Amino acid sequence: MRVGIRLVSLQAIVALVIFVATAATIGSALFIYHGRTSAVERAQGELRNYAFVLAEQTEQALQAVEVVQKDIIARIRYSLLFGDRDFNEIGTSEPIFAALAEKANELPHVRGLAIVRADGITLATSQGRAGYRPYDVSGREYFRNVIADPTVETKISPVIASLLTNRETIMVSRKITSSRGLVLGVINAALELEYFNNLYGRLVGNSQLETALLRADGSPLVTFPTKPSATPLNADILDALKSQDQARTANLVGGDGEARLAAVKASSSFPVAIVVSDAYSSILSTWKLHAGAIAGTAILMNIAIAFAWYLGRRQMNSSVMRAATESYLARHDVLTKSPNRLYFLEEMRRTIDASVAQSREFALFVIDLNRFKEINDTLGHPTGDLMIQSIAGRLKEAIGDMGFVARIGGDEFAIILQDAGAQKDVEAFAGEVVAKLEAPHQIDERVLQCRCSIGIAIGPTHGATADDLLKAADLALYAVKATPKLSYRFYDAEVNAERLKRRDLENALPHAVENNEFELFYQPIVSLKTGRYWGFEALVRWRRPGHGMVPPNTFIPTLEDMGLIIALGQKILVDACVAASKWPVSKHVAVNVSPIQLASDEVIDHIRGALEVSQLKPSRLTIEVTESVLLGEGAIERLRAIRELGVSIALDDFGTGFASMSYLQRYPYQKIKIDRSFVANLSDPKSQAIVTATINLAQALKIETTAEGVETVEQLEALRRAGASQAQGYLFAKPMPENDIPAFLSQTRLLKPAPYAA
């Protein structure tokens, strides 16, 4: 009987050894295969991100050229309509030479501008009238195409040699037609190839990636590096060029015969596309090292198993294995596989002991993702989980072997930088972390961005224990979140005082909402087309007992963090609509809606209720939303529901957040508000170009524009010339209580209507 039992036990052990060895081999093979797949998928995501960013930057450069060309054409058409000169006289006039020179100087990527007759003879160039000599471009293919084809308005040439300088350039040629559709000529813009090379080099950095700007037919316009190994002209690439919605990936073979992975992003507005590629040998280099190590480990594991069986080890200590597994799970985050808060505190204690023994300092970073809850609320928790995993991966890349990273909360991470060094070194590392985290993240089919705040404490200077250092870093983090312009801050004596102020604010705000301590002021908005006041924007003010007026940027973020903004926002909507119902029927009211309100389905009922209570016509109400947050599909539906009520929607602070031009297509906006930071710097050519481009874009999309913060007559006249629809600011009036509005409207003289913007 005992012999039988022993034989059965021996057979069971042999079977177990065979099973474990087979499982190890199969598991290693699957792990290696999965590792290769993951490496390729990761490279695809990174290449799509690069292609998306490069395509957007290229499109912005081409749109700036388009705006300038349209502006020159508009001047010519106006002169033809209201003058007695023909195209030849206008095209060779001094104002046209001056305008070409001025516009060419504004755009760093434009080498020169030229007006060309329909027969190919130039009339004027941006080089000026002095020393000007006409030249003939009638033999150029791009010119013949844009002149002869009635369906073509703009043509982008291949790389050609300039007739003036003999330097290589790309010509963007736009047709000039009369009011009756007669083709008069073209306006040519010669692009600076070096500008795009520098742009792509700056965005791609020191990586091994190769970048190409292609025409729709696949012919290259700009390549970086200048002599790449890739030749992206195959069926997969050409097929990918047809997709304008998103970046697509394709395979290609370089000129050196090496296989490459590429991402292609076609422009939605111009017949060009960006191709970014990387060699498979580079993509898989790390995987090959890991695969070799895993394969070697698997072989050694099989040898070890066989040797262990040969020595007669009959049992496996399952309790030890279980304890190790339980220990790992207890000290690691399941979602990101990063150390959790428990493991982090253990590492903190070890680091503190080592720093004291070695008389050196270390840095503790506590990192919080700003408005991460809105990603979960608008895009769903699965998307939020993927975003958290992406954040964790980038933090691990940033710290490398210099320290330790852990996930210590839902959207909160911590980093221990083992050797702090000088403060400037810690600041440099903090800047790198911010740049990594705030760069676009490819999450499924979406490209998302998420800002972060970082509190920094230096150990053991700011605390002798893990709890003390965490408290110091948390206080610095609160100070950062209270100052939106900051991304990180060190703990110091002022931080405690600021935290006490915020705590005092947090204690006072619930009573302020309950006791109705908030009141509305109204700032007029003037129409630059008619000179009449369009209406007023409602602005909330807090007259805190014993403190006077508290600035909105001090209490609004805290109201949002505490969840009080929804109740206050509902009351603001009602009060503003009731006030507007007492004004003349031609006057409108604009009300800001917080992203927190927009994330709730209740916002539709709140707007509908405010209109019913006040009996205000929906067309007299405008809801203003900010672009500083990423809006999900739920927000799109809510904005559309607001539009169905008959209420207008304005995009506030345009150009200061993450929004791209695709926002103007996806969301039902009727107005863009140009941020006061651009208006204040209108004397700066760059700010002036941004404002002009924004207004021209809005006009093309049939969207009105309101310029905020107008304080001088010079700013007003510049905005009028640019074609802005409306303006508001201290030049017209400061925000006023509701009771002052009737007297203001009765005493205020109308502005002189805007003249034609030449």
Side-chain angles (χ1 to χ4, degrees):
M1 186 67 177
R2 292 180 179 176
V3 174
I5 293 174
R6 289 177 181 175
L7 288 174
V8 171
S9 299
L10 182 59
Q11 290 172 352
I13 292 172
V14 171
L16 177 62
V17 170
I18 294 173
F19 173 79
V20 172
T22 304
T25 303
I26 295 174
S28 299
L30 291 175
F31 196 89
I32 291 171
Y33 173 79
H34 178 72
R36 185 186 190 282
T37 303
S38 298
V40 173
E41 289 176 350
R42 186 162 51 250
Q44 287 176 335
E46 291 174 353
L47 289 173
R48 282 196 294 265
N49 283 344
Y50 275 115
F52 183 91
V53 172
L54 291 169
E56 189 166 51
Q57 292 291 320
T58 302
E59 187 157 292
Q60 289 176 5
L62 293 175
Q63 284 171 341
V65 173
E66 185 180 63
V67 167
V68 166
Q69 289 178 320
K70 286 183 176 179
D71 179 69
I72 299 296
I73 292 172
R75 297 182 187 215
I76 292 173
R77 285 180 175 169
Y78 180 77
S79 298
L80 288 171
L81 284 174
F82 298 95
D84 56 358
R85 297 177 297 171
D86 61 14
F87 178 60
N88 274 359
E89 293 175 310
I90 295 169
T92 56
S93 65
E94 183 60 39
I96 291 298
F97 274 91
L100 292 176
E102 176 189 356
K103 296 298 182 182
N105 287 333
E106 290 177 355
L107 301 178
H109 55 293
V110 172
R111 182 180 298 163
L113 296 168
I115 302 295
V116 185
R117 286 195 322 226
D119 61 358
I121 303 301
T122 57
L123 298 178
T125 70
S126 56
Q127 294 177 335
R129 182 182 288 275
Y132 165 74
R133 61 178 181 81
Y135 56 95
D136 186 0
V137 299
S138 61
R140 294 297 178 108
E141 181 181 358
Y142 74 88
F143 175 80
R144 295 198 304 269
N145 288 343
V146 76
I147 289 292
D149 192 343
T151 65
V152 174
E153 186 176 11
T154 300
K155 188 73 175 179
I156 298 178
S157 77
V159 177
I160 59 175
S162 168
L163 293 177
L164 284 179
T165 65
N166 204 33
R167 291 171 60 185
E168 288 190 336
T169 186
I170 301 169
M171 199 69 68
V172 180
S173 185
R174 188 173 187 88
K175 191 179 296 180
I176 304 174
T177 58
S178 67
S179 58
R180 297 182 178 180
L182 178 65
V183 178
L184 303 174
V186 299
I187 177 170
N188 282 341
L191 302 188
E192 188 73 55
L193 298 187
E194 186 177 356
Y195 170 88
F196 290 95
N197 268 309
N198 292 338
L199 173 66
Y200 298 161
R202 187 170 64 253
L203 294 175
V204 173
N206 296 323
S207 67
Q208 301 298 316
L209 302 183
E210 295 182 358
T211 302
L213 173 64
L214 309 180
R215 292 206 310 167
D217 60 3
S219 59
L221 296 174
V222 179
T223 57
F224 180 86
T226 308
K227 295 181 179 179
S229 63
T231 53
L233 298 174
N234 59 36
D236 287 344
I237 296 295
L238 294 176
D239 182 60
L241 291 177
K242 301 174 184 177
S243 174
Q244 297 180 349
D245 297 329
Q246 58 189 6
R248 295 177 55 184
T249 55
N251 291 307
L252 58 90
V253 177
D256 56 1
E258 186 173 15
R260 302 182 69 84
L261 177 64
V264 185
K265 178 65 176 73
S267 168
S268 58
S269 304
F270 301 94
V272 295
I274 285 287
V275 177
V276 184
S277 70
D278 196 3
Y280 272 102
S281 60
S282 174
I283 294 170
L284 300 177
S285 58
T286 303
W287 166 79
K288 288 178 180 178
L289 292 175
H290 292 168
I294 291 169
T297 302
I299 293 171
L300 292 175
M301 184 183 297
N302 285 332
I303 294 173
I305 291 171
F307 186 70
W309 170 75
Y310 176 78
L311 292 178
R313 190 170 63 181
R314 299 178 179 274
Q315 279 188 320
M316 181 182 285
N317 193 341
S318 58
S319 60
V320 174
M321 293 293 294
R322 184 166 55 252
T325 302
E326 290 174 354
S327 174
Y328 178 87
L329 292 176
R331 299 163 70 246
H332 286 80
D333 171 53
V334 176
L335 180 63
T336 65
K337 305 299 186 294
S338 302
N340 60 13
R341 192 178 189 89
L342 175 63
Y343 194 175
F344 164 73
L345 291 174
E346 294 174 359
E347 185 66 21
M348 275 286 290
R349 286 189 282 271
R350 284 192 290 269
T351 303
I352 291 171
D353 292 343
S355 67
V356 172
Q358 299 170 16
S359 299
R360 62 173 174 82
E361 291 183 327
F362 68 94
L364 169 64
F365 292 67
V366 174
I367 304 164
D368 183 78
L369 306 182
N370 299 346
R371 298 185 180 275
F372 179 75
K373 184 177 181 297
E374 293 168 15
I375 294 180
N376 277 334
D377 291 343
T378 58
L379 302 180
H381 286 277
T383 299
D385 288 347
L386 292 174
M387 189 68 168
I388 288 291
Q389 289 174 333
S390 180
I391 292 289
R394 293 191 181 185
L395 287 175
K396 291 173 185 176
E397 290 177 4
I399 193 66
D401 58 359
M402 297 186 299
F404 183 88
V405 61
R407 184 187 182 199
I408 60 174
D411 60 348
E412 197 171 40
F413 292 83
I415 285 179
I416 301 173
L417 187 62
Q418 300 290 1
D419 190 358
Q423 180 169 328
K424 65 178 182 179
D425 298 326
V426 180
E427 290 180 348
F429 179 72
E432 292 176 11
V433 171
V434 170
K436 270 186 175 292
L437 297 192
E438 296 188 355
H441 296 254
Q442 181 73 41
I443 307 297
D444 290 334
E445 299 301 321
R446 292 185 176 91
V447 177
L448 302 180
Q449 287 179 291
C450 187
R451 289 187 173 175
C452 67
S453 299
I454 303 177
I456 306 172
I458 303 299
T461 304
H462 294 152
T465 68
D467 289 341
D468 289 343
L469 283 170
L470 265 176
K471 181 179 179 181
D474 279 335
L475 289 174
L477 176 64
Y478 288 132
V480 173
K481 295 179 77 68
T483 311
K485 292 184 179 180
L486 292 180
S487 295
Y488 61 85
R489 180 168 177 176
F490 287 81
Y491 173 80
D492 55 32
E494 294 180 7
V495 167
N496 263 330
E498 292 176 8
R499 178 54 182 158
L500 291 174
K501 287 182 182 178
R502 179 177 171 89
R503 187 170 296 169
D504 177 60
L505 199 65
E506 291 171 347
N507 291 332
L509 281 173
H511 301 288
V513 174
E514 183 178 351
N515 298 332
N516 197 23
E517 295 176 5
F518 298 94
E519 55 189 281
L520 291 182
F521 277 54
Y522 298 86
Q523 186 172 35
I525 300 173
V526 65
S527 169
L528 300 184
K529 297 177 182 178
T530 65
R532 299 177 180 275
Y533 283 98
W534 171 86
F536 298 83
E537 179 182 1
L539 302 168
V540 66
R541 297 289 186 266
W542 180 21
R543 197 183 302 276
R544 185 181 178 186
H547 293 77
M549 282 293 188
V550 182
N553 60 354
T554 299
F555 65 83
I556 291 293
T558 308
L559 282 170
E560 292 178 334
D561 291 342
M562 298 178 69
L564 299 174
I565 194 65
I566 293 180
L568 179 61
Q570 182 181 12
K571 184 179 185 305
I572 289 172
L573 279 167
V574 172
D575 290 350
C577 289
V578 170
S581 67
K582 303 172 187 177
W583 305 339
V585 295
S586 62
K587 302 298 180 262
H588 303 72
V589 65
V591 181
N592 289 278
V593 171
S594 164
I596 306 298
Q597 293 174 265
L598 198 61
S600 169
D601 290 329
E602 294 179 356
V603 70
I604 310 299
D605 294 333
H606 292 171
I607 295 172
R608 185 185 292 111
L611 293 172
E612 290 175 355
V613 168
S614 64
Q615 293 299 299
L616 184 73
K617 287 186 177 181
S619 59
R620 294 177 61 193
L621 173 63
T622 295
I623 295 298
E624 295 186 2
V625 297
T626 180
E627 67 155 333
S628 62
V629 296
L630 295 170
L631 301 178
E633 295 301 323
I636 296 178
E637 294 305 318
R638 293 183 192 99
L639 290 177
R640 288 174 179 161
I642 293 173
R643 280 295 298 136
E644 290 174 0
L645 294 176
V647 175
S648 297
I649 301 173
L651 178 59
D652 198 10
D653 300 336
F654 183 74
T656 62
F658 291 127
S660 65
M661 294 180 186
S662 63
Y663 268 52
L664 302 180
Q665 291 180 312
R666 298 178 63 202
Y667 295 89
Y669 299 122
Q670 286 72 54
K671 182 188 293 184
I672 295 173
K673 300 199 75 175
I674 302 171
D675 188 69
R676 63 181 65 248
S677 61
F678 297 118
V679 175
N681 295 316
L682 272 176
S683 57
D684 179 12
K686 291 183 179 179
S687 291
Q688 195 173 52
I690 291 172
V691 170
T692 301
T694 301
I695 293 172
N696 288 339
L697 175 63
Q699 289 174 341
L701 296 173
K702 295 181 172 54
I703 297 175
E704 290 194 331
T705 50
T706 301
E708 298 178 297
V710 180
E711 298 184 357
T712 67
V713 174
E714 290 77 13
Q715 291 171 349
L716 175 63
E717 292 306 315
L719 291 166
R720 278 178 156 174
R721 288 194 299 272
S725 310
Q726 299 173 344
Q728 69 181 106
Y730 284 5
L731 179 64
F732 312 110
K734 294 182 178 180
M736 63 190 72
E738 177 187 349
N739 294 337
D740 292 353
I741 292 178
F744 172 80
L745 291 176
S746 64
Q747 297 174 9
T748 303
R749 297 178 61 187
L750 298 180
L751 296 176
K752 183 180 179 182
Y756 171 79

